[in-house]
Amino acid sequence: MKVVFAGTPEFAAVALRAIHQAGFEIPLVLTQPDRPAGRGMQLQASSVKGVALEYGIEVLQPLSLRMDSKDPQRASEAQAAHERLSSLDYDVMVVAAYGLILPRSTLDIAPCINIHGSLLPRWRGAAPIHRAIESGDRETGVTIMGMEEGLDTGPMMLVERVPIDDADTTGSLHDKLAALGAAMIVQALRRMEQGDLSATPQPEAGVTYAAKISKDEAKLDFSLPAEALWRKVRAFNPFPGAQGTVNGTAIKIWQAEPLDAQGTPGQVLAVDAGGIVVACGAGALRLQQLQKPGGKRLAAGEFLKSFPLAGMRFE
């Protein structure tokens, strides 16, 4: 079976590698255009493009797949991509965190199936892993689904569940779900080859949306309960990094835990090598790993040597 693949970040790259290693022919990969990244803002290829080039697979990087775009360049690139897809003899398109909307014109060429990092219909949208941790969900998973024009509304083909541990961050949970999604998509493709892949409509109840993460969300409000802030610290690790401000200095907080303590929200209650205890609206948060601007991530004891916080208050 011939598989066209569309995806961009590492989550998708893990799946692309698994599909290739399983022996499926991949005539074409779609991924987002190279973007400036890093301190030097040099153009960098996506993780998916890196894997595709490693395997010698043709890569297309259109700005859009919408041929009706009012932007002439986007419309032109979409037209070229549509013509290339239409000329290919392929059986299915696999999509994983591509980042572009697939219009009806693309969906009509061949069946499209998606690897989504949540238990649909919960957390449809761009940031399901972040939102599951932030909301305190006790489990999540991966859904293999058929694609429609709606936002993650298609029928479910395979579902696997994964518990969310107290130590999980978005980074650690991402890696678990990427590996699971890669195994599941290979299973789905093999069952599709055998004519044994059925689909079930998503239930109408339980729909939630995982909005894209903004950097402003990472600014911690210590008037909130410690439990909620603890979840945010984990949800925003590694991106965009939870942040607290002391005397105008923004400090990234990478690891923390909730405590049963009381005080004025934002006030530093205690400092030692084990952590920096900050009062919250309910309870307190022990900050265990921090980073000042231009510095490295440091355990609390090391951080305090260059940035003493005793008696200070987070804004």
Side-chain angles (χ1 to χ4, degrees):
M1 195 159 67
K2 295 181 181 179
V3 181
V4 166
F5 188 87
T8 299
E10 182 63 22
F11 183 90
V14 174
L16 174 59
R17 192 178 294 277
I19 293 168
H20 182 273
Q21 292 176 348
F24 292 99
E25 182 178 347
I26 307 170
L28 179 68
V29 162
L30 299 173
T31 191
Q32 291 251 16
D34 297 359
R35 306 287 191 195
R39 295 197 175 187
M41 295 303 288
Q42 300 293 316
L43 285 178
Q44 290 189 11
S46 71
S47 297
V48 162
K49 182 178 179 180
V51 173
L53 294 178
E54 177 185 341
Y55 292 140
I57 302 171
E58 179 186 351
V59 177
L60 284 183
Q61 298 177 269
L63 288 167
S64 173
L65 292 175
R66 290 190 170 278
M67 293 182 288
D68 59 355
S69 173
K70 295 181 180 180
D71 182 314
Q73 182 179 357
R74 290 175 181 268
S76 175
E77 292 189 14
Q79 179 67 40
H82 179 76
E83 291 174 0
R84 183 69 186 107
L85 287 168
S86 299
S87 72
L88 280 176
D89 175 25
Y90 68 99
D91 301 288
V92 61
M93 177 184 287
V94 171
V95 182
Y98 181 26
L100 293 184
I101 295 173
L102 269 60
R104 172 53 56 189
S105 57
T106 301
L107 297 173
D108 284 344
I109 297 173
C112 297
I113 58 178
N114 179 251
I115 309 168
H116 188 75
S118 82
L119 299 174
L120 291 171
R122 186 162 178 79
W123 302 130
R124 295 173 178 173
I129 301 175
H130 296 79
R131 299 305 182 191
I133 292 177
E134 184 186 18
S135 295
D137 293 2
R138 300 311 304 168
E139 66 174 2
T140 184
V142 172
T143 305
I144 305 296
M145 55 173 282
M147 293 198 69
E148 301 176 341
E149 286 187 278
L151 179 63
D152 299 325
T153 58
M156 303 180 295
M157 297 168 174
L158 297 175
V159 178
E160 294 285 349
R161 297 175 179 272
V162 171
I164 300 178
D165 299 330
D166 285 349
D168 270 325
T169 65
T170 288
S172 67
L173 192 55
H174 166 279
D175 293 349
K176 294 178 188 179
L177 296 184
L180 177 60
M184 289 173 65
I185 194 61
V186 169
Q187 179 188 356
L189 292 172
R190 286 177 174 156
R191 288 179 59 175
M192 181 178 283
E193 270 189 321
Q194 298 164 2
D196 183 37
L197 186 65
S198 59
T200 303
Q202 293 185 33
E204 295 182 4
V207 175
T208 58
Y209 291 94
K212 185 177 180 180
I213 301 297
S214 71
K215 290 186 177 181
D216 284 344
E217 289 183 77
K219 297 175 182 177
L220 298 183
D221 177 358
F222 284 91
S223 68
L224 295 175
E227 185 87 12
L229 296 179
W230 170 59
R231 296 198 303 263
K232 286 179 180 291
V233 169
R234 294 161 52 221
F236 300 146
N237 182 352
F239 175 84
Q243 178 180 303
T245 302
V246 176
N247 289 343
T249 299
I251 298 172
K252 289 289 183 75
I253 300 165
W254 295 110
Q255 186 177 343
E257 64 178 359
L259 298 175
D260 184 14
Q262 298 297 325
T264 303
Q267 187 68 42
V268 175
L269 302 178
V271 298
D272 58 37
I276 299 151
V277 179
V278 184
C280 302
L285 201 64
R286 177 186 280 135
L287 314 183
Q288 298 165 309
Q289 188 183 66
L290 307 93
Q291 180 181 12
K292 63 183 179 181
K296 298 179 180 180
R297 297 189 187 191
L298 297 173
E302 289 298 311
F303 183 85
L304 289 167
K305 292 178 182 179
S306 61
F307 203 111
L309 287 171
M312 303 186 78
R313 184 176 178 183
F314 281 82
E315 298 167 13

